[in-house]
Protein backbone atom coordinates (compact mmCIF):
# COMPACT_ATOMS: atom_id res chain seq x y z
CA UNK A 1 0.00 0.00 0.00
CA UNK A 2 1.33 3.44 -0.86
CA UNK A 3 2.46 5.60 2.04
CA UNK A 4 0.49 8.80 2.44
CA UNK A 5 2.91 11.67 3.08
CA UNK A 6 2.27 13.82 6.14
CA UNK A 7 5.11 16.33 5.73
CA UNK A 8 6.83 17.17 2.48
CA UNK A 9 10.28 17.62 4.06
CA UNK A 10 11.77 16.80 7.44
CA UNK A 11 15.32 17.30 8.69
CA UNK A 12 17.70 15.04 10.57
CA UNK A 13 19.71 18.08 11.77
CA UNK A 14 17.14 20.90 11.99
CA UNK A 15 19.41 22.98 14.27
CA UNK A 16 21.68 23.58 11.29
CA UNK A 17 18.95 25.60 9.61
CA UNK A 18 20.09 28.58 11.69
CA UNK A 19 22.78 28.97 9.02
CA UNK A 20 20.02 30.33 6.76
CA UNK A 21 20.61 33.63 8.55
CA UNK A 22 23.86 33.97 6.60
CA UNK A 23 22.34 34.15 3.08
CA UNK A 24 19.54 36.28 4.54
CA UNK A 25 22.10 38.74 5.94
CA UNK A 26 23.92 38.82 2.59
CA UNK A 27 20.66 39.55 0.77
CA UNK A 28 19.66 42.32 3.18
CA UNK A 29 23.13 43.83 2.93
CA UNK A 30 22.95 43.86 -0.84
CA UNK A 31 19.50 45.46 -0.79
CA UNK A 32 20.78 48.12 1.59
CA UNK A 33 23.80 48.92 -0.58
CA UNK A 34 21.68 49.02 -3.72
CA UNK A 35 19.21 51.42 -2.12
CA UNK A 36 21.89 53.81 -0.93
CA UNK A 37 21.94 57.03 -2.91
CA UNK A 38 25.08 58.03 -4.74
CA UNK A 39 26.32 61.36 -3.35
CA UNK A 40 26.27 64.34 -5.72
CA UNK A 41 29.76 65.15 -6.96
CA UNK A 42 31.12 68.16 -8.75
CA UNK A 43 31.52 67.63 -12.45
CA UNK A 44 35.06 66.77 -13.45
CA UNK A 45 36.74 67.38 -16.71
CA UNK A 46 36.17 63.80 -17.77
CA UNK A 47 33.00 61.99 -16.64
CA UNK A 48 33.88 58.27 -16.82
CA UNK A 49 30.23 57.31 -16.46
CA UNK A 50 29.58 58.83 -19.86
CA UNK A 51 32.48 57.02 -21.49
CA UNK A 52 32.30 53.51 -20.01
CA UNK A 53 29.28 51.31 -20.79
CA UNK A 54 26.84 50.87 -17.94
CA UNK A 55 25.94 47.38 -16.77
CA UNK A 56 22.37 46.23 -16.78
CA UNK A 57 20.99 46.27 -13.25
CA UNK A 58 18.81 43.18 -13.73
CA UNK A 59 21.87 41.05 -14.53
CA UNK A 60 23.58 42.18 -11.34
CA UNK A 61 20.46 41.57 -9.27
CA UNK A 62 19.91 38.13 -10.83
CA UNK A 63 23.52 37.09 -10.17
CA UNK A 64 23.24 38.09 -6.51
CA UNK A 65 19.87 36.39 -6.05
CA UNK A 66 21.19 33.16 -7.59
CA UNK A 67 24.22 33.32 -5.32
CA UNK A 68 22.08 33.83 -2.21
CA UNK A 69 19.66 31.07 -3.26
CA UNK A 70 22.61 28.75 -3.84
CA UNK A 71 23.86 29.38 -0.30
CA UNK A 72 20.37 28.76 1.10
CA UNK A 73 20.03 25.49 -0.83
CA UNK A 74 23.39 24.28 0.49
CA UNK A 75 22.33 25.15 4.04
CA UNK A 76 19.17 23.08 3.59
CA UNK A 77 21.33 20.20 2.32
CA UNK A 78 23.61 20.65 5.37
CA UNK A 79 20.56 20.04 7.60
CA UNK A 80 20.12 16.59 5.96
CA UNK A 81 16.56 16.83 4.58
CA UNK A 82 14.33 13.82 4.09
CA UNK A 83 11.45 13.59 1.63
CA UNK A 84 9.22 11.04 -0.08
CA UNK A 85 10.40 9.63 -3.38
CA UNK A 86 9.21 6.77 -5.55
CA UNK A 87 11.42 3.68 -5.62
CA UNK A 88 10.84 0.28 -7.27
CA UNK A 89 9.27 -2.34 -5.05
CA UNK A 90 11.35 -5.42 -4.33
CA UNK A 91 8.37 -7.76 -4.03
CA UNK A 92 4.61 -7.60 -4.46
CA UNK A 93 1.62 -9.72 -5.42
CA UNK A 94 -0.93 -8.56 -7.98
CA UNK A 95 -4.29 -10.26 -8.47
CA UNK A 96 -5.89 -9.74 -11.87
CA UNK A 97 -9.63 -10.05 -11.25
CA UNK A 98 -11.69 -10.22 -14.44
CA UNK A 99 -15.40 -10.03 -15.06
CA UNK A 100 -16.51 -12.82 -17.44
CA UNK A 101 -20.25 -12.14 -17.29
CA UNK A 102 -22.32 -12.31 -20.50
CA UNK A 103 -22.24 -8.53 -20.92
CA UNK A 104 -18.55 -8.89 -21.76
CA UNK A 105 -19.49 -10.20 -25.21
CA UNK A 106 -20.78 -6.75 -26.16
CA UNK A 107 -19.09 -5.47 -29.31
CA UNK A 108 -19.03 -1.76 -28.47
CA UNK A 109 -15.30 -2.42 -27.95
CA UNK A 110 -13.89 -4.25 -30.96
CA UNK A 111 -13.84 -7.16 -31.41
CA UNK A 112 -15.65 -7.57 -28.07
CA UNK A 113 -15.20 -6.38 -24.52
CA UNK A 114 -13.82 -9.71 -23.37
CA UNK A 115 -11.47 -10.22 -26.32
CA UNK A 116 -10.00 -6.74 -25.94
CA UNK A 117 -9.77 -7.18 -22.15
CA UNK A 118 -7.82 -10.42 -22.63
CA UNK A 119 -5.37 -8.72 -24.97
CA UNK A 120 -4.79 -5.79 -22.62
CA UNK A 121 -4.42 -8.07 -19.58
CA UNK A 122 -1.73 -10.11 -21.33
CA UNK A 123 0.10 -6.90 -22.18
CA UNK A 124 -0.25 -5.89 -18.53
CA UNK A 125 1.76 -8.96 -17.54
CA UNK A 126 4.76 -7.62 -19.45
CA UNK A 127 4.57 -4.32 -17.55
CA UNK A 128 4.74 -5.92 -14.09
CA UNK A 129 8.26 -6.54 -12.72
CA UNK A 130 9.31 -10.17 -13.18
CA UNK A 131 9.93 -10.65 -9.45
CA UNK A 132 6.25 -9.93 -8.68
CA UNK A 133 3.79 -12.78 -8.18
CA UNK A 134 0.60 -12.61 -10.24
CA UNK A 135 -2.69 -14.43 -9.65
CA UNK A 136 -5.81 -14.65 -11.83
CA UNK A 137 -9.39 -14.64 -10.54
CA UNK A 138 -12.51 -14.72 -12.70
CA UNK A 139 -16.07 -13.97 -11.62
CA UNK A 140 -19.57 -14.12 -13.02
CA UNK A 141 -22.34 -15.69 -10.89
CA UNK A 142 -19.54 -16.87 -8.60
CA UNK A 143 -15.81 -16.33 -8.36
CA UNK A 144 -12.99 -18.78 -8.98
CA UNK A 145 -9.23 -18.70 -8.51
CA UNK A 146 -7.87 -19.65 -11.93
CA UNK A 147 -4.13 -19.28 -11.27
CA UNK A 148 -2.64 -18.95 -7.76
CA UNK A 149 0.15 -16.38 -7.17
CA UNK A 150 3.08 -17.25 -9.42
CA UNK A 151 5.95 -15.67 -11.35
CA UNK A 152 5.13 -17.89 -14.35
CA UNK A 153 3.79 -15.27 -16.76
CA UNK A 154 3.16 -17.86 -19.49
CA UNK A 155 0.77 -19.79 -17.25
CA UNK A 156 -1.21 -16.66 -16.38
CA UNK A 157 -1.28 -15.50 -20.00
CA UNK A 158 -2.58 -18.86 -21.18
CA UNK A 159 -5.28 -18.87 -18.50
CA UNK A 160 -6.40 -15.38 -19.52
CA UNK A 161 -6.71 -16.48 -23.14
CA UNK A 162 -8.94 -19.42 -22.13
CA UNK A 163 -11.49 -17.36 -20.17
CA UNK A 164 -15.10 -17.82 -21.29
CA UNK A 165 -18.29 -15.92 -20.49
CA UNK A 166 -20.83 -17.04 -17.90
CA UNK A 167 -24.14 -15.53 -16.64
CA UNK A 168 -24.59 -12.92 -13.86
CA UNK A 169 -22.12 -10.62 -12.06
CA UNK A 170 -20.77 -11.11 -8.53
CA UNK A 171 -18.16 -8.41 -8.02
CA UNK A 172 -18.18 -8.87 -4.25
CA UNK A 173 -17.38 -12.56 -4.62
CA UNK A 174 -14.56 -11.67 -7.00
CA UNK A 175 -12.99 -9.42 -4.36
CA UNK A 176 -13.28 -12.03 -1.60
CA UNK A 177 -11.76 -14.68 -3.88
CA UNK A 178 -8.90 -12.30 -4.67
CA UNK A 179 -8.22 -11.73 -0.97
CA UNK A 180 -8.19 -15.49 -0.44
CA UNK A 181 -5.74 -15.84 -3.33
CA UNK A 182 -3.32 -13.47 -1.59
CA UNK A 183 -3.09 -15.88 1.34
CA UNK A 184 -1.37 -18.31 -1.04
CA UNK A 185 1.36 -15.84 -1.96
CA UNK A 186 4.85 -16.82 -0.76
CA UNK A 187 6.43 -14.90 2.11
CA UNK A 188 8.75 -12.01 1.46
CA UNK A 189 12.26 -13.56 1.35
CA UNK A 190 13.67 -10.53 3.14
CA UNK A 191 11.07 -10.79 5.93
CA UNK A 192 10.15 -14.45 6.61
CA UNK A 193 6.66 -14.86 8.03
CA UNK A 194 5.28 -11.76 6.36
CA UNK A 195 3.56 -11.32 3.01
CA UNK A 196 4.81 -8.76 0.48
CA UNK A 197 2.59 -5.77 -0.43
CA UNK A 198 -0.38 -6.64 -2.61
CA UNK A 199 -2.95 -5.06 -4.90
CA UNK A 200 -6.03 -6.16 -6.81
CA UNK A 201 -6.70 -5.01 -10.38
CA UNK A 202 -10.40 -5.54 -11.02
CA UNK A 203 -11.93 -5.11 -14.48
CA UNK A 204 -15.70 -5.11 -14.90
CA UNK A 205 -18.43 -3.59 -17.04
CA UNK A 206 -21.47 -4.15 -14.86
CA UNK A 207 -22.87 -4.07 -11.35
CA UNK A 208 -23.30 -6.76 -8.72
CA UNK A 209 -26.56 -8.68 -9.15
CA UNK A 210 -25.77 -11.88 -7.21
CA UNK A 211 -23.62 -12.88 -4.26
CA UNK A 212 -22.31 -10.76 -1.41
CA UNK A 213 -22.24 -6.98 -1.84
CA UNK A 214 -19.01 -5.43 -3.06
CA UNK A 215 -18.65 -2.51 -0.64
CA UNK A 216 -18.03 -4.63 2.50
CA UNK A 217 -15.55 -6.66 0.44
CA UNK A 218 -13.70 -3.47 -0.51
CA UNK A 219 -13.66 -2.37 3.12
CA UNK A 220 -12.19 -5.74 4.08
CA UNK A 221 -9.49 -5.21 1.45
CA UNK A 222 -8.62 -1.88 3.03
CA UNK A 223 -8.28 -3.52 6.45
CA UNK A 224 -5.75 -5.87 4.88
CA UNK A 225 -3.89 -2.98 3.20
CA UNK A 226 -4.85 -4.23 -0.27
CA UNK A 227 -5.87 -1.37 -2.58
CA UNK A 228 -8.22 -2.23 -5.44
CA UNK A 229 -7.65 -0.58 -8.80
CA UNK A 230 -10.96 -0.82 -10.63
CA UNK A 231 -11.41 -0.46 -14.39
CA UNK A 232 -14.84 0.40 -15.75
CA UNK A 233 -14.63 -1.08 -19.22
CA UNK A 234 -17.02 -0.45 -22.08
CA UNK A 235 -19.34 2.30 -23.31
CA UNK A 236 -22.79 3.55 -22.39
CA UNK A 237 -24.14 2.21 -25.68
CA UNK A 238 -23.07 -1.40 -25.21
CA UNK A 239 -25.65 -4.15 -25.75
CA UNK A 240 -26.03 -7.91 -26.15
CA UNK A 241 -28.76 -10.10 -27.65
CA UNK A 242 -30.76 -12.36 -25.34
CA UNK A 243 -33.53 -14.54 -26.77
CA UNK A 244 -33.40 -12.51 -29.97
CA UNK A 245 -33.93 -9.21 -28.17
CA UNK A 246 -31.39 -6.40 -27.85
CA UNK A 247 -30.45 -5.91 -24.20
CA UNK A 248 -28.52 -2.74 -23.17
CA UNK A 249 -25.45 -3.35 -20.97
CA UNK A 250 -24.10 0.10 -20.07
CA UNK A 251 -21.05 0.34 -17.85
CA UNK A 252 -21.77 0.95 -14.15
CA UNK A 253 -19.20 3.51 -12.99
CA UNK A 254 -20.74 4.19 -9.58
CA UNK A 255 -20.10 0.80 -7.97
CA UNK A 256 -16.54 0.52 -9.28
CA UNK A 257 -15.73 4.04 -8.06
CA UNK A 258 -17.11 3.18 -4.61
CA UNK A 259 -15.02 0.00 -4.47
CA UNK A 260 -11.82 1.85 -5.33
CA UNK A 261 -12.49 4.60 -2.79
CA UNK A 262 -13.42 2.20 0.02
CA UNK A 263 -10.31 0.08 -0.53
CA UNK A 264 -7.85 2.96 -0.85
CA UNK A 265 -7.25 2.26 -4.53
CA UNK A 266 -8.13 4.18 -7.68
CA UNK A 267 -10.85 3.97 -10.32
CA UNK A 268 -10.11 4.07 -14.05
CA UNK A 269 -12.29 4.06 -17.16
CA UNK A 270 -11.63 2.75 -20.66
CA UNK A 271 -13.81 2.65 -23.77
CA UNK A 272 -11.34 1.12 -26.21
CA UNK A 273 -8.46 -1.33 -26.32
CA UNK A 274 -5.97 1.52 -26.60
CA UNK A 275 -7.39 3.27 -23.55
CA UNK A 276 -7.43 0.03 -21.58
CA UNK A 277 -3.79 -0.67 -22.45
CA UNK A 278 -2.82 2.79 -21.19
CA UNK A 279 -4.81 2.25 -17.99
CA UNK A 280 -2.97 -1.01 -17.33
CA UNK A 281 0.35 0.78 -17.87
CA UNK A 282 -0.62 3.41 -15.29
CA UNK A 283 -1.62 0.72 -12.80
CA UNK A 284 1.62 -1.20 -13.44
CA UNK A 285 3.58 1.93 -12.58
CA UNK A 286 1.54 2.46 -9.41
CA UNK A 287 1.89 -1.10 -8.08
CA UNK A 288 5.52 -1.40 -9.23
CA UNK A 289 6.78 1.43 -7.05
CA UNK A 290 6.26 2.83 -3.60
CA UNK A 291 6.84 6.13 -1.85
CA UNK A 292 9.65 5.84 0.67
CA UNK A 293 10.90 8.49 3.07
CA UNK A 294 14.61 8.83 2.26
CA UNK A 295 17.36 11.40 2.62
CA UNK A 296 17.20 14.09 -0.06
CA UNK A 297 20.51 15.86 0.56
CA UNK A 298 21.74 15.22 -2.98
CA UNK A 299 18.67 16.96 -4.41
CA UNK A 300 19.41 20.23 -2.60
CA UNK A 301 23.11 20.02 -3.33
CA UNK A 302 22.14 19.77 -6.99
CA UNK A 303 19.91 22.84 -6.68
CA UNK A 304 22.76 24.74 -5.02
CA UNK A 305 25.21 23.76 -7.76
CA UNK A 306 22.81 24.82 -10.52
CA UNK A 307 22.17 28.18 -8.86
CA UNK A 308 25.91 28.71 -8.33
CA UNK A 309 26.51 28.11 -12.05
CA UNK A 310 23.82 30.66 -12.94
CA UNK A 311 25.35 33.19 -10.55
CA UNK A 312 28.77 32.58 -12.06
CA UNK A 313 27.45 33.11 -15.59
CA UNK A 314 25.89 36.40 -14.47
CA UNK A 315 29.20 37.61 -13.02
CA UNK A 316 31.07 36.59 -16.19
CA UNK A 317 28.54 38.46 -18.32
CA UNK A 318 29.09 41.64 -16.29
CA UNK A 319 32.89 41.28 -16.22
CA UNK A 320 33.05 40.82 -19.99
CA UNK A 321 31.89 44.41 -20.45
CA UNK A 322 35.06 45.75 -18.93
CA UNK A 323 38.52 45.65 -20.55
Amino acid sequence: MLIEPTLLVQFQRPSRLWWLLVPLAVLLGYVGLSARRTPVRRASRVDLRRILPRDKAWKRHLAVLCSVASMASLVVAFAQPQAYREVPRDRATVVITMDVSRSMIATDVEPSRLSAAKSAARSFLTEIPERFNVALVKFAASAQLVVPPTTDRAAVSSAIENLEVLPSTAIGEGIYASLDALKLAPDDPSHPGTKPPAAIVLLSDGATNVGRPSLPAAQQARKQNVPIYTIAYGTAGGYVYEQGRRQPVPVNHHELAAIAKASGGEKFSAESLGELTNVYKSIAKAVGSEKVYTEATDRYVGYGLLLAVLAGLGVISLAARWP
Side-chain angles (χ1 to χ4, degrees), residues 29 31 45 53 76 97 104 120 145 156 176 188 275 289 314:
V31 172
R45 293 181 180 179
V76 173
T97 308
M104 290 292 287
L145 174 62
V156 180
Y176 284 118
D188 187 340
E275 289 182 3
S289 62

Side-chain angles (χ1 to χ4, degrees), residues 40-175:
V40 178
R41 297 181 180 178
R42 297 174 63 182
S44 59
R45 293 181 180 179
V46 180
D47 192 346
L48 293 178
R49 292 174 297 177
R50 295 182 179 181
I51 300 174
L52 297 175
R54 300 180 64 184
D55 63 323
K56 294 182 178 179
W58 70 268
K59 288 186 177 181
R60 185 173 67 254
H61 296 333
L62 182 61
V64 172
L65 287 176
C66 286
S67 178
V68 171
S70 175
M71 286 189 287
S73 184
L74 292 176
V75 170
V76 173
F78 185 51
Q80 295 181 263
Q82 290 183 316
Y84 283 97
R85 64 175 62 179
E86 287 192 356
V87 298
R89 291 184 186 273
D90 291 329
R91 299 279 178 176
T93 302
V94 179
V95 182
I96 300 175
T97 308
M98 295 188 63
D99 184 347
V100 293
S101 59
R102 278 191 51 81
S103 58
M104 290 292 287
I105 65 175
T107 56
D108 54 334
V109 178
E110 296 183 354
S112 71
R113 290 179 181 179
L114 184 59
S115 295
K118 289 180 180 181
S119 177
R122 292 199 303 273
S123 297
F124 177 55
L125 294 176
T126 65
E127 301 286 342
I128 304 174
E130 294 182 358
R131 60 188 178 277
F132 284 20
N133 285 287
V134 181
L136 176 64
V137 169
K138 68 176 183 180
F139 67 90
S142 61
Q144 178 184 350
L145 174 62
V146 182
V147 180
T150 178
T151 56
D152 187 349
R153 298 291 189 268
V156 180
S157 180
S158 177
I160 290 174
E161 182 61 31
N162 292 328
L163 292 176
E164 296 182 355
V165 296
L166 295 167
S168 301
T169 304
I171 298 178
E173 298 299 335
I175 296 174

Side-chain angles (χ1 to χ4, degrees), residues 1-2 4 218-219 221-222 226-229 258-266:
M1 183 177 180
L2 296 181
E4 294 294 335
Q219 293 168 344
R222 189 183 189 94
V226 180
I228 303 176
Y229 297 88
I259 291 171
K261 182 177 181 180
S263 68
E266 187 174 355

